[in-house]
Amino acid sequence: MAEATFDQFAQEYEEVHNKSITLSGEESIFFVELKMKLLSNYFLEKAATPLKIVDYGCGTGRAASFVKRYFPKSSFIGVDPSPKSIEIAQKQFPADTFRVLGTDGSI
């Protein structure tokens, strides 16, 4: 069920998201990067060490490039219940790992 719901919005996710936050004066990618920047500040001593980072609910994978920037030694995997979103993420970020989250929680 969740996959069908999210698949409907995968292609225009960024556009829909940007419209929903117009009052902020920023585009959604600003907040994606801000989250990674804040996390790297919070985990300052760990940001330079190899971590395994899972982006649960990664959508179209927009955090992938920022994970590389703020956690350069870390490995990354993005998971999402939407096969369409994962397909988009894999095309945009072919060097990264993305998996469809199964209804039973498997990846």
Side-chain angles (χ1 to χ4, degrees):
M1 160 114 166
E3 65 200 37
T5 302
F6 289 115
D7 278 354
Q8 293 177 61
F9 300 104
Q11 286 294 98
E12 57 272 341
Y13 175 78
E14 189 171 343
E15 181 183 339
V16 170
H17 195 217
N18 282 333
K19 283 181 182 177
S20 72
I21 61 167
T22 351
L23 289 174
S24 73
E26 298 289 348
E27 291 194 352
S28 60
I29 198 70
F30 169 83
F31 295 104
V32 174
E33 181 175 14
L34 180 62
K35 285 188 282 186
M36 289 303 115
K37 191 182 298 186
L38 292 173
L39 282 170
S40 72
N41 288 340
Y42 184 77
F43 294 108
L44 191 59
E45 69 282 350
K46 294 195 183 288
T49 61
L51 300 170
K52 292 181 181 181
I53 297 175
V54 177
D55 184 0
Y56 182 82
C58 69
T60 56
R62 296 175 343 132
S65 62
F66 298 115
V67 168
K68 287 179 190 168
R69 182 181 303 166
Y70 293 103
F71 297 92
K73 296 182 180 179
S74 296
S75 63
F76 169 83
I77 181 170
V79 296
D80 199 272
S82 166
K84 186 67 178 168
S85 294
I86 293 298
E87 180 184 323
I88 293 167
Q90 288 171 328
K91 285 179 184 172
Q92 290 181 1
F93 307 99
D96 291 307
T97 303
F98 296 95
R99 298 281 185 263
V100 175
L101 178 68
T103 55
D104 62 353
S106 62
I107 53 172

XYZ file of all heavy atoms in Angstrom:
841
model
N 0.819 -1.199 0.000
C 0.000 0.000 0.000
C 0.859 1.256 0.000
O 0.659 2.138 -0.795
C -0.925 -0.040 1.215
C -1.452 1.307 1.596
S -3.186 1.458 1.374
C -3.434 2.939 2.284
N 1.834 1.325 0.896
C 2.691 2.513 0.970
C 3.441 2.717 -0.332
O 3.579 3.841 -0.800
C 3.674 2.382 2.127
N 3.918 1.615 -0.931
C 4.667 1.766 -2.169
C 3.820 2.384 -3.267
O 4.284 3.262 -4.002
C 5.269 0.437 -2.622
C 4.227 -0.588 -2.991
C 4.759 -2.003 -2.976
O 5.576 -2.333 -2.118
O 4.317 -2.779 -3.836
N 2.564 1.985 -3.382
C 1.690 2.548 -4.403
C 1.444 4.033 -4.151
O 1.452 4.843 -5.072
C 0.370 1.786 -4.439
N 1.257 4.396 -2.896
C 1.034 5.795 -2.540
C 2.243 6.643 -2.894
O 2.128 7.668 -3.550
C 0.729 5.930 -1.032
O -0.413 5.142 -0.740
C 0.475 7.366 -0.652
N 3.416 6.220 -2.475
C 4.628 6.998 -2.734
C 5.016 6.974 -4.205
O 5.568 7.941 -4.713
C 5.781 6.513 -1.856
C 5.605 6.870 -0.409
C 5.434 5.885 0.539
C 5.598 8.191 -0.002
C 5.261 6.210 1.883
C 5.429 8.531 1.327
C 5.262 7.535 2.278
N 4.748 5.866 -4.896
C 5.068 5.790 -6.318
C 4.325 6.856 -7.118
O 4.841 7.364 -8.110
C 4.739 4.407 -6.880
C 5.837 3.393 -6.614
O 6.909 3.777 -6.102
O 5.618 2.210 -6.930
N 3.128 7.225 -6.672
C 2.346 8.255 -7.365
C 3.070 9.590 -7.409
O 2.901 10.371 -8.339
C 1.007 8.483 -6.661
C 0.034 7.344 -6.715
C -1.199 7.710 -5.917
O -1.881 8.674 -6.243
N -1.472 6.959 -4.867
N 3.868 9.867 -6.381
C 4.509 11.174 -6.243
C 6.000 11.163 -6.572
O 6.646 12.213 -6.527
C 4.319 11.689 -4.813
C 2.878 11.851 -4.451
C 2.257 10.924 -3.626
C 2.136 12.907 -4.948
C 0.918 11.056 -3.292
C 0.803 13.052 -4.619
C 0.186 12.123 -3.795
N 6.555 10.018 -6.896
C 8.004 9.910 -7.079
C 8.539 10.868 -8.140
O 9.534 11.551 -7.917
C 8.396 8.476 -7.420
N 7.888 10.934 -9.282
C 8.376 11.770 -10.376
C 8.363 13.254 -10.029
O 9.273 13.981 -10.379
C 7.557 11.547 -11.645
C 7.844 10.241 -12.336
C 9.255 10.191 -12.885
O 10.140 9.631 -12.253
N 9.481 10.753 -14.033
N 7.320 13.703 -9.363
C 7.208 15.142 -9.081
C 7.387 15.476 -7.603
O 6.996 16.533 -7.137
C 5.894 15.715 -9.610
C 4.628 15.069 -9.110
C 4.184 13.885 -9.953
O 4.593 13.736 -11.095
O 3.417 13.084 -9.414
N 8.032 14.564 -6.861
C 8.202 14.766 -5.422
C 8.841 16.107 -5.098
O 8.357 16.855 -4.256
C 9.028 13.628 -4.808
C 9.337 13.865 -3.355
C 8.369 13.648 -2.386
C 10.577 14.357 -2.945
C 8.632 13.896 -1.049
C 10.845 14.613 -1.621
C 9.874 14.376 -0.677
O 10.130 14.637 0.637
N 9.941 16.415 -5.760
C 10.666 17.650 -5.454
C 9.791 18.878 -5.733
O 9.742 19.807 -4.924
C 11.954 17.731 -6.273
C 12.853 18.854 -5.853
C 14.213 18.795 -6.530
O 14.581 17.736 -7.071
O 14.903 19.818 -6.502
N 9.078 18.861 -6.835
C 8.194 19.987 -7.180
C 7.084 20.158 -6.149
O 6.821 21.272 -5.684
C 7.589 19.757 -8.568
C 6.682 20.856 -9.046
C 6.058 20.541 -10.395
O 6.589 19.703 -11.136
O 5.013 21.155 -10.694
N 6.453 19.064 -5.768
C 5.381 19.112 -4.767
C 5.928 19.607 -3.431
O 5.327 20.452 -2.764
C 4.707 17.720 -4.611
C 3.775 17.686 -3.417
C 3.979 17.334 -5.883
N 7.080 19.101 -3.053
C 7.694 19.493 -1.785
C 8.044 20.980 -1.801
O 7.806 21.692 -0.824
C 8.922 18.629 -1.514
C 9.400 18.701 -0.115
N 10.718 18.680 0.219
C 8.741 18.810 1.073
C 10.861 18.775 1.517
N 9.670 18.848 2.054
N 8.632 21.445 -2.890
C 8.981 22.864 -2.997
C 7.748 23.760 -2.873
O 7.798 24.797 -2.210
C 9.729 23.154 -4.297
C 11.177 22.751 -4.229
O 11.782 22.714 -3.167
N 11.737 22.424 -5.372
N 6.656 23.347 -3.486
C 5.413 24.135 -3.394
C 4.908 24.181 -1.950
O 4.379 25.200 -1.512
C 4.338 23.549 -4.297
C 4.532 23.879 -5.753
C 3.409 23.288 -6.589
C 3.636 23.572 -8.062
N 2.599 22.959 -8.893
N 5.073 23.089 -1.239
C 4.539 23.029 0.129
C 5.339 23.852 1.128
O 4.857 24.118 2.226
C 4.431 21.581 0.605
O 5.711 21.050 0.860
N 6.551 24.254 0.760
C 7.376 25.034 1.686
C 7.689 26.432 1.146
O 8.635 27.072 1.595
C 8.689 24.296 2.039
C 9.538 24.065 0.796
C 8.414 23.016 2.782
C 10.957 23.644 1.093
N 6.890 26.930 0.236
C 7.159 28.235 -0.388
C 7.315 29.346 0.630
O 8.133 30.242 0.427
C 6.017 28.645 -1.337
O 5.121 27.587 -1.534
C 6.531 29.109 -2.641
N 6.564 29.316 1.695
C 6.647 30.376 2.695
C 8.020 30.468 3.356
O 8.390 31.520 3.868
C 5.578 30.195 3.775
C 4.143 30.473 3.331
C 3.166 30.127 4.446
C 3.993 31.915 2.899
N 8.782 29.392 3.313
C 10.111 29.406 3.934
C 11.096 30.263 3.134
O 12.114 30.697 3.668
C 10.664 27.989 4.057
O 11.059 27.489 2.783
N 10.807 30.465 1.852
C 11.724 31.208 1.002
C 12.882 30.363 0.493
O 13.774 30.860 -0.177
N 12.882 29.091 0.807
C 13.949 28.171 0.384
C 13.343 27.032 -0.429
O 12.151 26.760 -0.344
C 14.663 27.569 1.608
C 15.361 28.565 2.497
C 16.609 29.169 1.869
O 17.085 28.672 0.828
O 17.113 30.158 2.435
N 14.198 26.378 -1.200
C 13.782 25.157 -1.879
C 14.086 23.981 -0.956
O 14.912 24.088 -0.044
C 14.510 25.021 -3.209
C 14.057 26.072 -4.210
C 14.492 25.760 -5.620
O 15.265 24.814 -5.836
O 14.033 26.486 -6.512
N 13.448 22.870 -1.215
C 13.577 21.724 -0.313
C 15.008 21.203 -0.212
O 15.406 20.709 0.839
C 12.634 20.602 -0.739
O 12.939 20.163 -2.048
N 15.802 21.340 -1.257
C 17.175 20.847 -1.215
C 17.990 21.569 -0.129
O 18.900 20.996 0.460
C 17.848 20.934 -2.608
C 19.085 20.040 -2.674
C 18.168 22.370 -2.982
C 18.799 18.580 -2.674
N 17.635 22.804 0.154
C 18.285 23.551 1.236
C 18.133 22.803 2.554
O 19.089 22.671 3.327
C 17.674 24.955 1.350
C 18.086 25.690 2.595
C 19.292 26.367 2.654
C 17.262 25.694 3.719
C 19.683 27.042 3.815
C 17.634 26.372 4.877
C 18.854 27.039 4.926
N 16.935 22.300 2.830
C 16.670 21.602 4.087
C 17.308 20.213 4.113
O 17.690 19.728 5.175
C 15.169 21.547 4.354
C 14.584 22.906 4.581
C 13.848 23.536 3.583
C 14.802 23.591 5.770
C 13.325 24.810 3.776
C 14.294 24.855 5.969
C 13.554 25.473 4.975
N 17.418 19.583 2.948
C 18.106 18.291 2.876
C 19.562 18.480 3.303
O 20.078 17.748 4.147
C 18.028 17.691 1.451
C 18.866 16.427 1.354
C 16.589 17.417 1.054
N 20.215 19.502 2.733
C 21.602 19.763 3.113
C 21.708 20.208 4.568
O 22.618 19.790 5.287
C 22.241 20.820 2.215
C 23.688 21.068 2.589
C 24.428 22.019 1.686
O 23.791 22.722 0.886
O 25.668 22.063 1.792
N 20.782 21.045 5.010
C 20.813 21.529 6.396
C 20.780 20.368 7.391
O 21.515 20.363 8.379
C 19.654 22.487 6.649
C 19.562 23.066 8.063
C 20.809 23.897 8.392
C 18.293 23.907 8.204
N 19.955 19.366 7.121
C 19.892 18.198 8.007
C 21.248 17.505 8.102
O 21.695 17.149 9.191
C 18.834 17.198 7.526
C 17.421 17.626 7.801
C 16.443 16.531 7.479
C 16.213 16.436 5.994
N 15.162 15.476 5.621
N 21.913 17.337 6.962
C 23.224 16.679 6.973
C 24.264 17.538 7.693
O 25.091 17.035 8.445
C 23.708 16.390 5.551
C 22.956 15.294 4.857
S 22.979 13.736 5.759
C 21.250 13.587 6.155
N 24.201 18.838 7.476
C 25.142 19.755 8.124
C 24.950 19.722 9.644
O 25.911 19.640 10.403
C 24.921 21.177 7.607
C 25.998 22.156 8.006
C 25.719 23.561 7.519
C 25.662 23.638 6.021
N 25.541 25.028 5.526
N 23.702 19.766 10.091
C 23.419 19.720 11.532
C 23.837 18.387 12.142
O 24.389 18.348 13.243
C 21.934 19.991 11.789
C 21.461 21.409 11.490
C 19.940 21.509 11.616
C 22.137 22.413 12.398
N 23.583 17.305 11.421
C 24.010 15.993 11.924
C 25.526 15.910 12.022
O 26.062 15.380 12.994
C 23.489 14.873 11.021
C 22.035 14.508 11.208
C 21.577 13.562 10.103
C 21.796 13.889 12.570
N 26.234 16.449 11.027
C 27.700 16.387 11.088
C 28.240 17.251 12.220
O 29.229 16.892 12.852
C 28.332 16.783 9.753
O 28.214 18.166 9.521
N 27.583 18.371 12.497
C 27.987 19.198 13.639
C 27.724 18.475 14.954
O 28.530 18.528 15.870
C 27.262 20.547 13.631
C 27.758 21.458 12.545
O 28.850 21.284 12.023
N 26.947 22.426 12.179
N 26.575 17.815 15.034
C 26.207 17.096 16.252
C 27.175 15.940 16.511
O 27.577 15.683 17.634
C 24.776 16.578 16.134
C 24.275 15.901 17.378
C 23.874 16.655 18.490
C 24.188 14.522 17.458
C 23.417 16.041 19.644
C 23.726 13.900 18.608
C 23.347 14.659 19.689
O 22.895 14.051 20.834
N 27.532 15.245 15.437
C 28.451 14.110 15.544
C 29.851 14.507 15.069
O 30.532 13.745 14.403
C 27.948 12.936 14.698
C 26.673 12.347 15.193
C 25.489 12.541 14.500
C 26.645 11.593 16.357
C 24.311 11.988 14.952
C 25.463 11.047 16.812
C 24.284 11.239 16.108
N 30.284 15.698 15.441
C 31.528 16.269 14.941
C 32.708 15.306 15.013
O 33.419 15.105 14.036
C 31.855 17.560 15.700
C 32.967 18.404 15.120
C 32.646 18.827 13.704
C 33.194 19.632 15.975
N 32.890 14.678 16.154
C 34.030 13.775 16.288
C 33.861 12.516 15.459
O 34.823 11.861 15.095
C 34.295 13.418 17.764
C 33.229 12.541 18.425
C 31.962 13.274 18.847
O 31.937 14.521 18.811
O 30.988 12.599 19.203
N 32.638 12.169 15.112
C 32.401 10.963 14.326
C 32.337 11.253 12.821
O 32.443 10.345 12.027
C 31.118 10.289 14.773
C 31.193 9.752 16.182
C 30.074 8.797 16.435
C 30.064 8.282 17.834
N 31.111 7.357 18.142
N 32.150 12.509 12.434
C 31.993 12.854 11.013
C 33.216 12.460 10.189
O 33.099 12.187 9.005
C 31.705 14.338 10.862
N 34.384 12.423 10.798
C 35.611 12.088 10.074
C 35.950 10.601 10.147
O 36.937 10.165 9.574
C 36.768 12.909 10.620
N 35.134 9.826 10.855
C 35.400 8.389 10.964
C 34.394 7.625 10.102
O 33.296 8.104 9.836
C 35.277 7.912 12.425
O 33.945 8.148 12.873
C 36.250 8.617 13.331
N 34.765 6.433 9.654
C 33.849 5.641 8.829
C 32.604 5.212 9.619
O 32.719 4.590 10.666
C 34.677 4.419 8.426
C 36.092 4.819 8.637
C 36.079 5.812 9.766
N 31.454 5.584 9.125
C 30.175 5.196 9.720
C 29.355 4.469 8.670
O 29.611 4.593 7.475
C 29.398 6.433 10.179
C 30.045 7.340 11.218
C 29.235 8.625 11.365
C 30.134 6.621 12.551
N 28.365 3.744 9.107
C 27.380 3.152 8.199
C 26.112 3.967 8.370
O 25.490 3.925 9.426
C 27.147 1.686 8.529
C 28.347 0.831 8.243
C 28.074 -0.623 8.556
C 29.313 -1.437 8.268
N 29.099 -2.852 8.523
N 25.753 4.703 7.346
C 24.600 5.605 7.426
C 23.465 5.044 6.582
O 23.634 4.739 5.399
C 24.976 7.018 6.949
C 26.050 7.593 7.883
C 23.750 7.914 6.885
C 26.593 8.938 7.469
N 22.290 4.904 7.209
C 21.094 4.440 6.521
C 20.098 5.591 6.480
O 19.765 6.163 7.514
C 20.452 3.228 7.246
C 19.170 2.810 6.552
C 21.434 2.069 7.317
N 19.677 5.936 5.288
C 18.636 6.955 5.120
C 17.324 6.212 4.925
O 17.004 5.749 3.841
C 18.953 7.846 3.916
C 17.950 8.983 3.750
O 17.003 9.092 4.561
O 18.123 9.762 2.794
N 16.608 6.052 6.027
C 15.342 5.319 6.037
C 14.249 6.259 5.548
O 13.991 7.284 6.162
C 15.052 4.834 7.464
C 13.809 4.020 7.599
C 13.820 2.673 7.292
C 12.627 4.593 8.027
C 12.682 1.913 7.417
C 11.473 3.838 8.157
C 11.508 2.501 7.846
O 10.378 1.753 7.963
N 13.629 5.937 4.433
C 12.653 6.832 3.819
C 13.375 7.821 2.909
O 13.081 9.004 2.894
N 14.345 7.315 2.153
C 15.223 8.174 1.352
C 14.538 8.829 0.162
O 15.092 9.760 -0.425
C 16.432 7.385 0.872
S 16.049 6.118 -0.366
N 13.353 8.358 -0.194
C 12.676 8.936 -1.355
C 13.539 8.806 -2.592
O 14.040 7.736 -2.898
N 13.750 9.916 -3.282
C 14.528 9.900 -4.522
C 16.028 10.065 -4.275
O 16.777 10.327 -5.213
C 14.016 10.979 -5.485
O 14.066 12.260 -4.828
C 12.584 10.692 -5.925
N 16.470 9.933 -3.032
C 17.885 9.871 -2.709
C 18.627 11.182 -2.615
O 19.853 11.220 -2.670
N 17.914 12.264 -2.439
C 18.554 13.577 -2.489
C 19.573 13.816 -1.383
O 20.441 14.664 -1.522
C 17.502 14.668 -2.509
C 16.682 14.555 -3.786
C 15.513 15.478 -3.947
N 15.024 16.126 -2.780
C 14.773 17.431 -2.720
N 14.962 18.199 -3.744
N 14.288 17.947 -1.620
N 19.540 13.065 -0.314
C 20.528 13.251 0.757
C 21.876 12.608 0.434
O 22.875 12.940 1.064
C 19.996 12.684 2.068
N 21.922 11.725 -0.552
C 23.138 10.956 -0.835
C 24.366 11.833 -1.048
O 25.424 11.574 -0.470
C 22.924 10.052 -2.051
N 24.255 12.855 -1.861
C 25.427 13.688 -2.140
C 25.879 14.468 -0.905
O 27.065 14.732 -0.726
C 25.159 14.647 -3.299
O 24.113 15.534 -2.970
N 24.934 14.829 -0.046
C 25.287 15.565 1.164
C 25.897 14.653 2.227
O 26.741 15.087 3.009
C 24.081 16.325 1.711
C 23.582 17.349 0.742
C 22.324 17.228 0.169
C 24.373 18.430 0.378
C 21.869 18.171 -0.736
C 23.928 19.376 -0.530
C 22.673 19.246 -1.091
N 25.504 13.394 2.236
C 26.140 12.438 3.143
C 27.616 12.335 2.770
O 28.489 12.372 3.631
C 25.456 11.051 3.084
C 26.296 10.002 3.802
C 24.060 11.112 3.684
N 27.894 12.263 1.472
C 29.292 12.186 1.018
C 30.070 13.436 1.406
O 31.234 13.368 1.761
C 29.343 12.015 -0.494
C 28.938 10.672 -0.969
C 28.997 10.615 -2.476
C 28.363 9.350 -2.985
N 28.148 9.386 -4.413
N 29.425 14.578 1.327
C 30.109 15.834 1.639
C 30.402 15.963 3.130
O 31.486 16.365 3.527
C 29.259 17.022 1.192
C 29.952 18.366 1.449
C 29.119 19.540 1.029
N 28.773 19.445 -0.378
C 27.830 20.183 -0.957
N 27.156 21.064 -0.241
N 27.557 20.045 -2.229
N 29.415 15.651 3.970
C 29.563 15.877 5.407
C 30.075 14.670 6.182
O 30.515 14.807 7.324
C 28.240 16.384 5.987
C 27.903 17.755 5.466
C 26.955 17.933 4.474
C 28.572 18.875 5.947
C 26.666 19.204 3.972
C 28.294 20.142 5.453
C 27.337 20.298 4.473
O 27.072 21.560 3.990
N 29.999 13.497 5.582
C 30.506 12.267 6.196
C 31.330 11.519 5.137
O 30.956 10.427 4.699
C 29.356 11.391 6.698
C 28.526 12.029 7.777
C 27.397 12.771 7.455
C 28.871 11.892 9.106
C 26.628 13.369 8.439
C 28.104 12.480 10.109
C 26.982 13.225 9.774
N 32.437 12.098 4.695
C 33.166 11.589 3.531
C 33.721 10.167 3.650
O 33.906 9.502 2.641
C 34.308 12.596 3.352
C 34.466 13.261 4.675
C 33.112 13.251 5.305
N 33.958 9.690 4.838
C 34.522 8.345 5.005
C 33.452 7.293 5.263
O 33.758 6.131 5.489
C 35.549 8.342 6.139
C 36.754 9.205 5.841
C 37.761 9.139 6.955
C 38.953 10.024 6.620
N 39.945 10.013 7.690
N 32.208 7.690 5.238
C 31.119 6.788 5.601
C 30.524 6.070 4.397
O 30.592 6.550 3.278
C 30.017 7.581 6.303
O 30.507 8.114 7.503
N 29.942 4.909 4.678
C 29.178 4.215 3.654
C 27.711 4.617 3.810
O 27.272 5.008 4.888
C 29.349 2.703 3.777
O 28.844 2.256 5.011
N 26.967 4.518 2.730
C 25.597 5.015 2.702
C 24.693 3.999 2.017
O 25.065 3.409 0.997
C 25.560 6.342 1.931
C 24.174 6.821 1.610
C 23.447 7.527 2.544
C 23.603 6.567 0.372
C 22.160 7.976 2.257
C 22.318 7.007 0.081
C 21.605 7.714 1.019
N 23.507 3.829 2.580
C 22.462 3.060 1.914
C 21.148 3.802 2.127
O 20.850 4.252 3.226
C 22.374 1.600 2.412
C 21.283 0.843 1.645
C 22.144 1.534 3.905
C 21.261 -0.646 1.886
N 20.404 3.951 1.053
C 19.082 4.573 1.131
C 18.016 3.510 0.959
O 18.127 2.657 0.075
N 17.000 3.523 1.817
C 15.891 2.571 1.710
C 14.574 3.329 1.688
O 14.430 4.373 2.330
C 15.896 1.525 2.857
C 17.123 0.652 2.792
C 15.797 2.183 4.208
N 13.629 2.803 0.929
C 12.329 3.444 0.794
C 11.304 2.398 0.358
O 11.667 1.451 -0.345
C 12.407 4.562 -0.258
C 11.272 5.556 -0.126
O 10.203 5.325 -0.727
O 11.443 6.550 0.599
N 10.033 2.553 0.741
C 9.023 1.581 0.318
C 8.596 1.747 -1.138
O 7.908 0.898 -1.686
C 7.846 1.849 1.259
C 8.005 3.277 1.651
C 9.482 3.515 1.692
N 9.011 2.836 -1.787
C 8.581 3.131 -3.152
C 9.599 2.656 -4.189
O 10.670 3.250 -4.331
C 8.384 4.640 -3.314
O 8.279 5.006 -4.673
N 9.277 1.599 -4.945
C 10.186 1.148 -6.002
C 10.483 2.245 -7.026
O 11.606 2.355 -7.512
C 9.446 -0.021 -6.649
C 8.508 -0.512 -5.592
C 8.104 0.719 -4.829
N 9.503 3.055 -7.337
C 9.706 4.140 -8.306
C 10.707 5.164 -7.768
O 11.579 5.633 -8.507
C 8.364 4.808 -8.634
C 8.458 5.834 -9.724
C 8.784 5.177 -11.049
C 8.828 6.198 -12.163
N 9.396 5.670 -13.382
N 10.600 5.524 -6.497
C 11.547 6.465 -5.889
C 12.958 5.892 -5.901
O 13.926 6.603 -6.194
C 11.142 6.797 -4.450
O 9.929 7.506 -4.439
N 13.086 4.601 -5.609
C 14.398 3.950 -5.611
C 14.974 3.932 -7.023
O 16.168 4.171 -7.226
C 14.319 2.529 -5.007
C 13.985 2.611 -3.521
C 15.601 1.747 -5.252
C 15.004 3.338 -2.653
N 14.138 3.698 -8.004
C 14.586 3.719 -9.396
C 15.160 5.099 -9.763
O 16.221 5.200 -10.377
C 13.403 3.382 -10.312
C 13.719 3.372 -11.779
C 12.476 3.114 -12.624
O 11.606 2.321 -12.208
O 12.371 3.731 -13.699
N 14.479 6.148 -9.354
C 14.943 7.519 -9.608
C 16.257 7.774 -8.880
O 17.201 8.326 -9.444
C 13.864 8.544 -9.203
C 12.658 8.425 -10.130
C 14.421 9.969 -9.206
C 11.419 9.165 -9.652
N 16.336 7.360 -7.621
C 17.553 7.551 -6.824
C 18.744 6.851 -7.476
O 19.839 7.420 -7.561
C 17.336 7.032 -5.402
N 18.535 5.622 -7.941
C 19.629 4.867 -8.551
C 20.118 5.527 -9.834
O 21.307 5.502 -10.134
C 19.192 3.425 -8.825
C 19.064 2.627 -7.556
C 18.435 1.263 -7.756
O 17.587 1.069 -8.632
N 18.850 0.307 -6.948
N 19.219 6.140 -10.584
C 19.616 6.834 -11.810
C 20.393 8.112 -11.488
O 21.359 8.443 -12.168
C 18.391 7.169 -12.657
C 17.807 5.972 -13.360
C 16.593 6.348 -14.173
C 15.974 5.112 -14.797
N 14.679 5.411 -15.433
N 19.963 8.833 -10.464
C 20.612 10.094 -10.105
C 21.943 9.886 -9.393
O 22.851 10.708 -9.530
C 19.691 10.942 -9.212
C 18.504 11.488 -9.935
C 17.631 12.353 -9.021
O 17.928 12.561 -7.853
N 16.554 12.864 -9.574
N 22.045 8.828 -8.621
C 23.240 8.574 -7.808
C 23.694 7.128 -7.999
O 23.598 6.315 -7.071
C 22.952 8.862 -6.331
C 22.388 10.237 -6.089
C 21.019 10.433 -5.916
C 23.221 11.351 -6.061
C 20.500 11.701 -5.706
C 22.710 12.625 -5.863
C 21.349 12.798 -5.688
N 24.192 6.785 -9.177
C 24.527 5.381 -9.474
C 25.639 4.793 -8.608
O 25.724 3.577 -8.474
C 24.933 5.425 -10.949
C 25.269 6.836 -11.243
C 24.463 7.678 -10.293
N 26.464 5.626 -8.012
C 27.551 5.109 -7.165
C 27.071 4.715 -5.776
O 27.805 4.067 -5.027
C 28.659 6.157 -7.043
N 25.847 5.094 -5.423
C 25.328 4.802 -4.087
C 24.417 3.581 -4.106
O 23.967 3.132 -5.154
C 24.571 6.015 -3.541
C 25.509 7.165 -3.239
O 26.487 6.960 -2.513
O 25.263 8.264 -3.747
N 24.125 3.062 -2.921
C 23.284 1.876 -2.776
C 21.898 2.282 -2.301
O 21.764 2.985 -1.296
C 23.910 0.906 -1.745
O 25.229 0.577 -2.175
C 23.081 -0.356 -1.603
N 20.882 1.825 -3.023
C 19.491 2.077 -2.658
C 18.733 0.755 -2.735
O 18.966 -0.044 -3.633
C 18.857 3.091 -3.618
C 19.485 4.451 -3.552
C 20.478 4.816 -4.438
C 19.080 5.370 -2.598
C 21.077 6.063 -4.376
C 19.670 6.615 -2.514
C 20.679 6.969 -3.412
N 17.834 0.556 -1.789
C 17.045 -0.676 -1.742
C 15.592 -0.348 -1.441
O 15.295 0.595 -0.700
C 17.558 -1.604 -0.628
C 18.976 -2.061 -0.804
C 19.075 -3.198 -1.810
N 20.413 -3.715 -1.902
C 21.297 -3.364 -2.830
N 20.967 -2.511 -3.767
N 22.505 -3.897 -2.855
N 14.711 -1.181 -1.993
C 13.279 -1.064 -1.690
C 13.034 -1.733 -0.348
O 13.497 -2.853 -0.099
C 12.422 -1.727 -2.782
C 10.942 -1.705 -2.414
C 12.652 -1.034 -4.126
N 12.328 -1.047 0.518
C 11.970 -1.577 1.823
C 10.739 -2.460 1.673
O 9.696 -1.993 1.188
C 11.674 -0.426 2.792
C 11.235 -0.793 4.194
C 12.384 -1.456 4.944
C 10.785 0.455 4.938
N 10.861 -3.715 2.053
C 9.739 -4.636 1.956
C 8.687 -4.354 3.023
O 8.966 -3.705 4.028
N 7.484 -4.851 2.808
C 6.408 -4.638 3.770
C 6.718 -5.290 5.117
O 6.165 -4.913 6.135
C 5.073 -5.174 3.230
O 5.246 -6.549 2.863
C 4.605 -4.368 2.038
N 7.620 -6.266 5.109
C 8.005 -6.933 6.343
C 9.240 -6.277 6.988
O 9.783 -6.793 7.960
C 8.280 -8.416 6.088
C 9.427 -8.637 5.114
O 9.941 -7.650 4.524
O 9.818 -9.808 4.949
N 9.679 -5.161 6.415
C 10.833 -4.460 6.956
C 12.162 -4.914 6.365
O 13.205 -4.394 6.720
N 12.119 -5.871 5.450
C 13.366 -6.357 4.841
C 13.852 -5.379 3.766
O 13.073 -4.667 3.169
C 13.141 -7.736 4.216
O 12.182 -7.639 3.189
N 15.178 -5.390 3.577
C 15.746 -4.550 2.502
C 16.586 -5.390 1.548
O 17.078 -6.409 1.857
C 16.592 -3.384 3.029
C 17.660 -3.853 3.994
C 15.710 -2.346 3.653
C 18.627 -2.760 4.382
